Amino acid sequence: MLQRTIRQLAIAFFCLVTSAANSFELTEIAPGVFVHQGQMALMTRDNAGDIANLGAIVGEEAIAVIDTGGSRAEGEAFLAALQQRSTKPIRYVVDTHVHPDHIFGNIAFKGTGAVFVGHKNLPRAMATRGPHYLSSFRETMGDLVDDVILVPPSLTVERETILDLGGRQIVLKAWRTAHSDADLTVLDRRSGTLFAGDLLFLRHVPIIDGSLLGFLAVVDELRAIEAVRVVPGHGPAVAPWPQALDAQKAYLDHLTRDLRADVARGATLAESVKTAGRGERPAWLLFDDYHARNATAGFAELEWEAP
């Protein structure tokens, strides 16, 4: 009886994993380069935190995963879908930054033997923000957060690191404080595919969790990267490069210009947040969820600029 029950549970688990893998869309955008497009939404229990774009690059010997999703459930679905595409070992899991929609799925990859990689600031960011993230997202994610254990990187990038997947090299670059203080990009040299993480938003309004001026500077520096396509952190799975930067640059420029004008005329933070950059609203999704926060952070940064 016990053996029969165990066998039935094993079959049920296999069916569950197989079903999740089949429903988890993973698109090959270039030979050996796979992307999962997240929903344009806030993290909830209904979407299992599946709001960020995730990726994988398959070399001759091994695989690198770029971000793992917003829950263990999403991470497991990603892993199962990826294993249907390739039987090669996962050698690296690269976290592009600290936000929960990109790293809560790490625990699903813990047992693969992969080396976890991130910006030099990522361990500190995980340690300081992690407990708050786990607590605050319980309200919207419910028991999906119970299974999340943050996995810090054992390999960190201070400036630039090249990883070899066997005949296929990927370039990891750590950036100054911009979207966050731990932004990392991944460039696949063979296909010319850049994974920008949240240094690039398309259609989803950009989020400033680091520095408005830093974000603007990094956008200009990103243009120098030689690539043919980009995978943004949020938005369509793939876009032409570097044209994909234009809309985000316009948003950040507009917000900066308005905030500087408000500071110069002596407007208060409360007054400025109601008007600065509001002309960008028609161009972006989730504008009302994030723009006021961006304007607040930008105002606090710009009011201390030298006259």
Side-chain angles (χ1 to χ4, degrees), residues 17-163:
V17 171
T18 302
S19 175
N22 289 335
S23 63
F24 188 88
E25 189 171 344
L26 200 56
T27 303
E28 189 169 16
I29 62 169
V33 181
F34 297 89
V35 174
H36 170 73
Q37 181 178 328
Q39 300 177 31
M40 209 85 75
L42 304 178
M43 287 175 66
T44 66
R45 197 184 191 295
D46 288 342
N47 61 34
D50 182 3
I51 66 168
N53 294 339
L54 316 177
I57 302 169
V58 181
E60 300 299 328
E61 300 173 358
I63 300 171
V65 166
I66 299 103
D67 288 334
T68 57
S71 66
R72 180 170 188 156
E74 187 190 1
E76 288 177 344
F78 181 17
L79 176 59
L82 185 55
Q83 288 175 332
Q84 288 187 350
R85 299 301 190 102
S86 174
T87 58
K88 293 172 183 173
I90 298 171
R91 183 175 292 170
Y92 301 105
V93 171
V94 181
D95 291 327
T96 60
H97 60 292
V98 72
H99 290 153
D101 51 324
H102 296 260
I103 67 167
F104 270 10
N106 277 6
I107 186 60
F109 291 82
K110 180 72 172 173
T112 65
V115 174
F116 287 74
V117 189
H119 190 287
K120 67 179 178 63
N121 293 338
L122 187 59
R124 182 187 64 197
M126 280 190 178
T128 56
R129 293 178 173 221
H132 169 70
Y133 285 152
L134 292 172
S135 173
S136 62
F137 277 92
R138 188 172 302 282
E139 183 176 342
T140 54
M141 298 282 289
D143 58 5
L144 285 178
V145 177
D146 293 345
D147 294 333
V148 173
I149 299 173
L150 298 182
V151 182
S154 57
L155 175 62
T156 58
V157 181
E158 184 168 355
R159 293 184 179 177
E160 187 172 291
T161 294
I162 297 175
L163 302 179

Side-chain angles (χ1 to χ4, degrees), residues 172-246:
L172 276 57
K173 181 174 176 54
W175 296 86
R176 72 176 80 178
T177 299
H179 162 70
S180 74
D181 66 352
D183 296 309
L184 197 69
T185 56
V186 181
L187 174 65
D188 173 42
R189 284 177 166 169
R190 179 186 292 183
S191 69
T193 303
L194 175 67
F195 287 84
D198 279 7
L199 288 177
L200 177 62
F201 288 79
L202 291 174
R203 300 183 190 168
H204 180 308
V205 70
I207 299 173
I208 302 164
D209 190 30
S211 164
L212 172 57
L213 297 181
F215 210 160
L216 265 172
V218 164
V219 167
D220 288 335
E221 293 168 20
L222 282 166
R223 289 186 189 278
I225 295 177
E226 293 184 7
V228 297
R229 67 182 67 83
V230 64
V231 178
H234 297 267
V238 62
W241 183 258
Q243 301 92 315
L245 289 167
D246 293 346

